[in-house]
Amino acid sequence: IIAVVGWLAIGSQQPLWAWLEGQAEISQPSSQGPSLGQVLDQGMERFDGQLGAWTKANRIYATPPDPFAGKLVRDWKLSSGEKAIALTFDDGPFPKMTEQVLNILQKEQIHATFFIIGSMLKAYPELGKRVVADGHVIANHTWTHRVRKADPATATWEIDKTAQLIEELTGIRPRLFRPPGGLLHSGMDTYAQTKGYATVIWGTDTLDWRRPTAQVIHDRVLRGAHPVSYTHLRAHETVLD
């Protein structure tokens, strides 16, 4: 149905019927023309091929807008009256905590960003797949969660190895990166930005790894939320229960 009434938006803005008409002219032999069904079949075969090639070439999820690609992102201004908090989770996936988080987000119909550690994803691949299947953004948090400076070779290995596994398991090429511990100028963020990642740092840290009470976390989040800023709220899957 979409193929009949829709618009072809790959490489042009021409209506699908016009595109099919062009395919019919290409396919038309000089002696006896094919039936309408044959023309449509040929046209849709070409369309499927183009769509498949376009999908493969653009298999990037949560690609940052151009102003943020290769840049450091923390907070930024919103239009007057807009309210938004970006909920992010670090360090997973974990067999108990991540599943609990995903269940709650699903129930509340909330989407979040999960900054995944590559070695943890290797241990629990099905949870990483569920993150994507549930409509969340999956992002790069290095392979080992190294919280110290890294030489170029180490930074390349930490980030590229994680990205490769994410894409192998989910089909998603991550374009968001968060350095472990938020450590900047460590070599990790420098490499990530040269590869076009948006390096995302939180605006509000729940400090949940210190295991405060739920009320303390609640109050900390509200204090960190500002009406003119898009705030990245950071929590850890390791300590949520």
Side-chain angles (χ1 to χ4, degrees):
I1 295 174
I2 295 174
V4 174
V5 302
W7 284 66
L8 180 65
I10 300 177
S12 70
Q13 290 296 322
Q14 70 178 127
L16 181 58
W17 60 264
W19 180 83
L20 286 174
E21 186 177 51
Q23 299 305 311
E25 293 174 357
I26 293 172
S27 304
Q28 183 77 26
S30 57
S31 57
Q32 183 179 358
S35 67
L36 176 60
Q38 289 174 324
V39 171
L40 289 174
D41 286 344
Q42 292 171 359
M44 291 314 300
E45 285 178 4
R46 290 189 177 88
F47 173 75
D48 287 342
Q50 291 182 359
L51 180 62
W54 182 89
T55 301
K56 183 177 181 180
N58 292 274
R59 190 173 55 181
I60 299 177
Y61 190 68
T63 302
D66 288 340
F68 304 113
K71 302 292 179 59
L72 176 67
V73 180
R74 193 188 303 267
D75 291 345
W76 60 89
K77 301 295 184 181
L78 294 173
S79 299
S80 178
E82 288 186 307
K83 297 179 181 180
I85 290 179
L87 183 60
T88 67
F89 294 93
D90 293 1
D91 301 352
F94 291 90
K96 180 181 178 182
M97 311 307 183
T98 304
E99 188 171 2
Q100 288 180 340
V101 169
L102 288 171
N103 289 342
I104 293 170
L105 294 175
Q106 186 178 61
K107 179 182 177 182
E108 301 298 333
Q109 298 183 342
I110 295 172
H111 289 101
T113 301
F114 288 78
F115 287 91
I116 296 294
I117 296 175
S119 58
M120 297 302 298
L121 179 61
K122 182 178 180 180
Y124 306 104
E126 295 306 315
L127 284 174
K129 292 178 182 178
R130 185 184 167 188
V131 167
V132 173
D134 284 4
H136 304 291
V137 176
I138 191 167
N140 197 321
H141 201 41
T142 75
W143 187 264
T144 66
H145 201 271
R146 177 190 177 99
V147 191
R148 58 186 185 277
K149 290 194 174 183
D151 59 44
T154 300
T156 300
W157 181 85
E158 288 272 1
I159 294 171
D160 287 358
K161 187 175 178 66
T162 302
Q164 181 181 359
L165 182 61
I166 289 174
E167 186 166 8
E168 287 177 358
L169 291 176
T170 69
I172 301 303
R173 189 182 308 151
R175 304 309 302 157
L176 305 179
F177 172 74
R178 174 170 288 169
L183 183 63
L184 298 175
H185 312 297
S186 64
M188 298 281 198
D189 56 314
T190 303
Y191 175 74
Q193 291 175 38
T194 64
K195 299 294 287 185
Y197 284 87
T199 299
V200 182
I201 302 296
W202 55 90
T204 300
D205 192 343
T206 62
L207 298 177
D208 54 353
W209 53 272
R210 294 179 178 174
R211 298 187 178 275
T213 65
Q215 187 62 49
V216 169
I217 293 177
H218 172 272
D219 294 343
R220 189 171 287 147
V221 168
L222 292 185
R223 283 198 304 270
H226 304 288
V228 295
S229 296
Y230 185 72
T231 300
H232 290 277
L233 170 62
R234 177 204 194 199
H236 292 81
E237 296 167 64
T238 50
V239 294
L240 292 173
D241 199 350

